[in-house]
Amino acid sequence: MFAYVLVLLGVASRYLVAGHLPLLNFTAVTGSLVYFGARRSWREMLAPVAILMASDFALTTYVYHYQFHWQAYVTTWAWYAAAIALGQILLHAKTTFVRGAAGAILGPTSFFVVSNYGFWASSLSPYPHTFAGLVTCYAAAIPFYRNDVVATSIVLAVALGAPVLVRRMNLAGAEQAAVK
């Protein structure tokens, strides 16, 4: 159940940073999707993707007041499913610090690569459809990438690390009680 709550917190975080440029992409979305994949089954993948698709529509039309073009979101929607798959493949069977750190890097990196290429290739892109335009598009997105890596690292550290910390504290308490 916590995985669903975390996805909803990820969606809510998008609305909290809407219009705050210094927080460029500092949301819990990537971390919540990777965590969802780590803790839930493949069958449940559609729910968070649908929730985020609806959120994309609402943010675009009601918060940013732009016209919604579903074609501009296809790569992002595919990435939502891919981020869940990343969590499933990387963290479902075995969760370690290294695997969690890999998820915290691979999730935002894959979004950076996919979303910026999709934006550059779309008809909405202000960048020329040349190699130089593609490089400029990626360079302009570096602040978004940095913030996504930091936010994802925090979300995954808390979501994956808190249960381990609680277990260790309970074991230490049990050992102390046994010694007395």
Side-chain angles (χ1 to χ4, degrees), residues 11-165:
V11 169
S13 71
R14 296 176 79 192
Y15 289 90
L16 292 174
V17 301
H20 295 76
L21 284 179
L23 298 175
L24 303 168
N25 210 34
F26 196 86
T27 68
V29 172
T30 304
S32 70
L33 291 174
V34 172
Y35 182 82
F36 191 92
R39 296 296 180 252
R40 306 306 298 184
S41 71
W42 289 105
R43 294 186 313 257
E44 299 175 68
M45 187 185 300
L46 185 57
V49 172
I51 290 167
L52 282 160
M53 288 171 73
S55 174
D56 286 336
F57 176 78
L59 277 170
T60 301
T61 56
Y62 300 116
V63 175
Y64 298 122
H65 305 290
Y66 293 132
Q67 196 171 28
F68 186 79
H69 301 281
W70 67 269
Q71 301 89 338
Y73 289 92
V74 171
T75 54
T76 301
W77 295 340
W79 178 83
Y80 293 155
I84 295 169
L86 173 68
Q88 180 74 218
I89 292 165
L90 200 60
L91 298 165
H92 187 73
K94 183 177 181 182
T95 303
T96 65
F97 175 80
V98 172
R99 288 172 178 250
I105 298 297
L106 292 174
T109 301
S110 63
F111 183 72
F112 176 77
V113 170
V114 169
S115 66
N116 286 297
Y117 180 80
F119 179 70
W120 170 80
S122 77
S123 61
L124 301 173
S125 173
Y127 303 104
H129 289 207
T130 62
F131 181 72
L134 179 62
V135 169
T136 304
C137 180
Y138 278 110
I142 289 173
F144 293 92
Y145 172 66
R146 178 197 62 229
N147 288 351
D148 196 16
V149 169
V150 172
T152 301
S153 298
I154 292 169
V155 168
L156 287 177
V158 170
L160 296 172
V164 173
L165 185 59

